[in-house]
């Protein structure tokens, strides 16, 4: 896969009003509105938070655990979270309150959380991992990989590789699954390339949620999603994605960054679950990755939800959020030995 040239044709689209999808139930539309209000409040709060990235993340953690998302999450899903260090990397370990199912005693899931390669620990990691641990009755380890602006690519891949290698001492690769959302989905795909380069055994299955293994800065959905973000939250996403600090000075055409650049590497991927939504700015990346995987003979599932935004499953009040988590559990139950 090669990045297209800039001599493409374009269409001028007149402005129009986009209402919430009437295909969504009333409960979903109400949950969307509450979440938008919450996001606007977060944006306003972020303007007064510390500029130092470590202090910013610490304050974000505190606000998250005091906020409505966490309260709603723990009311719906019973699991515990502790912090552990594996191979020198800090991780969050999530365990179901009801205990690990007998079938999952020798299984583990690795979560690589989203957050633009800058944030997400003790926030997005909880939203992505706690429900899966509770619903699947399985141990989930979310890796606090190194982030920008302090670190650059491939620091996060190095950390994931270290934790994965350490887990191989206790788990067979066919008993391990890796999944992530947004930046975490990209990192999941990059990790599969790294493991092949190191001739390490690959996990049994992976999940790429709200992102893929192709270029991150092009595609229809990025342009459309940028306009939607401007309208609903007051800021665009396109420029931020094109200028991710984690990738500064990095060749995006390298398969280590963009795995879809290599058919040989991509064809070795294990069964893959992909999920997105019609208003996700990363929809193009997700469906393009799915198409490439199928073309190369990799078993891949694609699930698209109507009328929802990027990483919609960060909103625990959405009925569709529970659907996605249950699909993740089903998929790994199917593919982990």
């Amino acid at each position: 896969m090669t990045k297209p040239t800039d001599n493409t044709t374009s269409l001028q689209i007149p402005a129009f009003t986009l209402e919430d999808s009437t295909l969504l139930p009333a409960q979903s539309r109400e949950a969307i509105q509450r979440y938008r209000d919450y996001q606007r409040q977060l944006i306003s709060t972020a303007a007064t938070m510390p500029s130092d990235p470590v202090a910013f993340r610490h304050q974000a953690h505190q606000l998250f655990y005091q906020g409505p998302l966490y309260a709603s999450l723990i009311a719906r899903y019973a699991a515990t979270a502790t912090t552990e260090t594996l191979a020198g990397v800090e991780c969050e370990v999530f365990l179901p309150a009801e205990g690990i199912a007998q079938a999952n005693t020798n299984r583990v899931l690795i979560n690589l959380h989203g957050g633009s390669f800058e944030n997400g620990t003790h926030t997005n990691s909880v939203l992505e991992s706690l429900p899966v641990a509770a619903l699947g009755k399985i141990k989930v380890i979310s890796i606090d990989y190194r982030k920008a602006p302090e670190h650059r690519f491939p620091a996060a891949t190095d950390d994931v590789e270290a934790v994965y290698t350490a887990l191989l001492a206790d788990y067979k690769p066919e008993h391990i699954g890796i999944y992530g959302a947004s930046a975490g989905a990209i990192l999941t795909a990059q990790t599969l390339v790294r493991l092949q380069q190191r001739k390490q055994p690959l996990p049994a299955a992976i999940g790429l949620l709200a992102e893929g293994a192709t270029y991150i800065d092009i595609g229809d959905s990025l342009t459309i999603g940028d306009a939607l973000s401007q309208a609903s939250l007051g800021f665009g996403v396109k420029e931020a994605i094109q200028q991710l600090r984690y990738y500064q000075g990095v060749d995006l055409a390298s398969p280590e960054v963009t795995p879809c650049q290599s058919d040989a590497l991509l064809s070795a991927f294990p069964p893959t679950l992909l999920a997105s939504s019609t208003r996700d700015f990363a929809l193009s990346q997700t469906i393009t990755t799915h198409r490439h995987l199928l073309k190369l003979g990799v078993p891949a599932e694609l699930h698209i939800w109507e009328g929802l935004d990027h990483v919609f499953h960060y909103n625990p009040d959405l009925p569709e959020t529970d659907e996605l988590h249950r699909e993740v559990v089903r998929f790994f139950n199917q593919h982990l030995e």
Side-chain angles (χ1 to χ4, degrees):
M1 179 180 177
T2 55
K3 205 168 186 178
T5 57
D6 291 331
N7 58 343
T8 54
T9 58
S10 61
L11 296 172
Q12 292 295 320
I13 310 295
F16 61 95
T17 300
L18 181 66
E19 298 179 354
D20 287 337
S21 173
T22 52
L23 289 173
L24 291 171
Q27 180 184 355
S28 297
R29 281 177 275 161
E30 291 167 3
I32 288 170
Q33 187 56 56
R34 290 196 302 271
Y35 190 64
R36 282 184 189 145
D37 293 341
Y38 171 76
Q39 286 180 302
R40 293 188 188 104
Q41 182 182 354
L42 282 184
I43 293 167
S44 175
T45 303
T48 62
M49 288 172 64
S51 57
D52 175 74
V54 176
F56 181 95
R57 293 178 198 131
H58 178 70
Q59 189 166 330
H61 303 166
Q62 291 181 314
L63 291 172
F64 171 76
Y65 287 110
Q66 297 166 5
L69 288 191
Y70 183 68
S72 180
L73 191 73
I74 60 174
R76 297 171 187 273
Y77 305 103
T80 62
T82 56
T83 302
E84 228 176 273
T85 299
L86 295 170
V89 181
E90 186 173 293
C91 302
E92 295 173 80
V93 179
F94 297 86
L95 295 172
E98 297 180 7
I100 294 174
Q102 185 175 355
N104 292 329
T105 302
N106 297 315
R107 293 172 170 178
V108 67
L109 295 180
I110 299 172
N111 167 249
L112 307 179
H113 63 75
S116 302
F117 289 103
E118 296 199 12
N119 300 289
T121 306
H122 299 296
T123 49
N124 298 342
S125 57
V126 182
L127 295 168
E128 295 181 33
S129 302
L130 191 144
V132 173
L135 291 171
K137 294 183 173 58
I138 190 170
K139 183 177 186 178
V140 179
I141 297 175
S142 186
I143 300 175
D144 181 13
Y145 52 85
R146 284 173 291 170
K147 304 171 183 65
E150 306 98 305
H151 305 282
R152 298 289 186 271
F153 176 89
T157 312
D158 294 341
D159 290 345
V160 178
E161 179 193 6
V163 173
Y164 179 82
T165 302
L167 288 174
L168 288 176
D170 298 314
Y171 298 93
K172 295 179 180 180
E174 55 266 31
H175 294 162
I176 301 175
I178 305 177
Y179 73 100
S182 192
I186 298 170
L187 181 55
T188 298
Q190 292 170 344
T191 298
L192 266 291
V193 170
R194 170 65 66 83
L195 296 178
Q196 291 182 65
Q197 292 174 332
R198 297 285 196 265
K199 302 190 184 304
Q200 289 272 35
L202 302 184
I206 62 171
L208 307 180
L209 313 180
E211 255 299 352
T214 185
Y215 284 109
I216 61 172
D217 59 344
I218 55 176
D220 280 357
S221 66
L222 182 58
T223 300
I224 296 168
D226 185 74
L228 292 176
S229 178
Q230 289 276 12
S232 63
L233 299 176
F235 69 92
V237 295
K238 191 170 187 176
E239 184 177 357
I241 289 173
Q242 291 173 336
Q243 298 180 5
L244 281 176
R245 291 186 285 186
Y246 181 69
Y247 287 132
Q248 284 181 355
V250 173
D251 178 14
L252 293 179
S254 167
E256 295 178 354
V257 181
T258 307
C260 274
Q261 286 293 91
S262 169
D263 284 354
L265 292 167
L266 203 66
S267 65
F269 273 37
T272 303
L273 171 72
L274 300 103
S276 186
S277 42
T278 58
R279 299 189 184 187
D280 181 3
F281 62 74
L283 174 61
S284 294
Q285 283 68 26
T286 309
I287 60 177
T288 301
T289 300
H290 177 252
R291 180 171 59 84
H292 275 275
L293 290 169
L294 290 184
K295 185 171 67 176
L296 295 169
V298 176
E301 292 185 18
L302 176 64
H303 298 258
I304 305 292
W305 274 264
E306 161 66 15
L308 301 178
D309 294 330
H310 184 63
V311 292
F312 67 83
H313 60 295
Y314 285 2
N315 181 356
D317 293 336
L318 271 175
E320 293 83 358
T321 291
D322 193 68
E323 291 176 14
L324 186 149
H325 291 315
R326 291 181 184 277
E327 284 301 321
V328 170
V329 169
R330 176 202 57 80
F331 181 79
F332 284 118
N333 276 341
Q334 178 180 343
H335 291 287
L336 269 61
E337 279 192 5

